[in-house]
Amino acid sequence: MRHNKAINHLGRQSGHRKAMLSNMACSLIMQKRITTTVAKAKALKSYVEPLITKSKEDTTHNRRVVFSYLKDKNAVTELFRTIAPKIADRPGGYTRVLHTGFRQGDAAEMALIELVDFNEAALASAPKAAKKGTRRSRAKKADEAPKAESAPEAEEPKAE
């Protein structure tokens, strides 16, 4: 039984698992979106989200803590310079896991993990908030349009 065993070991020993998650986190930070198996994506989500939370406060201590997990200077710089300002007001949930189907060779369930605020397609469709429709009839607006057109004509003869 798996009582009180919270993390998925992913079939690897701890050193290999830590190195793999570190490399995947660096790739996610640098490329903003990666494709992997669902199990690895879920493990990566719980690995990288606390690091992103730490990056909200840019202190030397937080940079060193994040660097101890990532071991990549460029990824740490990218995280603190570009990602942290963009997610500063978000209270959590920085990543999204999208299931993409099954891998051809071994039928492993695949997923796309991405940073939420860096998906241009989703951001482009999200701001299109439709205006709340009115329950009144439209005839009133049709009557106002001819009045607007006649008003400038009335002013022109006065100017002459």
Side-chain angles (χ1 to χ4, degrees):
M1 288 187 260
R2 292 193 69 246
H3 295 304
N4 296 328
K5 295 185 182 349
I7 69 164
N8 187 351
H9 296 290
L10 302 172
R12 289 160 173 80
Q13 293 180 350
S14 64
H16 186 190
R17 185 174 55 252
K18 288 176 187 174
M20 182 190 65
L21 289 173
S22 173
N23 288 333
M24 289 175 68
C26 291
S27 297
L28 178 64
I29 289 167
M30 297 302 287
Q31 298 169 4
K32 313 299 188 264
R33 172 188 298 180
I34 59 173
T35 303
T36 184
T37 62
V38 172
K40 287 179 187 173
K42 288 179 180 178
L44 178 61
K45 184 173 188 162
S46 64
Y47 184 86
V48 78
E49 290 211 359
L51 300 179
I52 296 173
T53 302
K54 284 216 179 287
S55 73
K56 286 182 173 183
E57 187 180 350
D58 191 4
T59 62
T60 305
H61 176 68
N62 283 346
R63 280 183 179 264
R64 286 178 176 169
V65 169
V66 170
F67 183 76
S68 73
Y69 283 91
L70 296 181
K71 313 257 188 318
D72 185 0
K73 195 182 297 185
N74 296 328
V76 173
T77 303
E78 177 80 9
L79 178 63
F80 279 87
R81 284 199 184 149
T82 61
I83 296 173
K86 206 161 184 181
I87 54 99
D89 58 340
R90 183 177 286 274
Y94 312 111
T95 58
R96 176 185 297 128
V97 177
L98 301 169
H99 296 253
T100 58
F102 297 94
R103 190 161 49 199
Q104 184 70 31
D106 60 353
E109 194 174 358
M110 299 300 286
L112 183 80
I113 182 168
E114 65 184 2
L115 296 175
V116 172
D117 291 328
F118 289 88
N119 184 352
E120 290 81 19
L123 292 175
S125 64
K128 294 180 182 176
K131 289 185 180 179
K132 184 178 177 184
T134 182
R135 300 184 78 168
R136 297 180 183 160
S137 89
R138 300 286 181 188
K140 196 172 192 180
K141 288 186 179 179
D143 292 338
E144 291 175 6
K147 290 179 184 176
E149 292 174 6
S150 63
E153 294 172 356
E155 292 177 9
E156 289 176 12
K158 292 177 184 177
E160 293 176 4

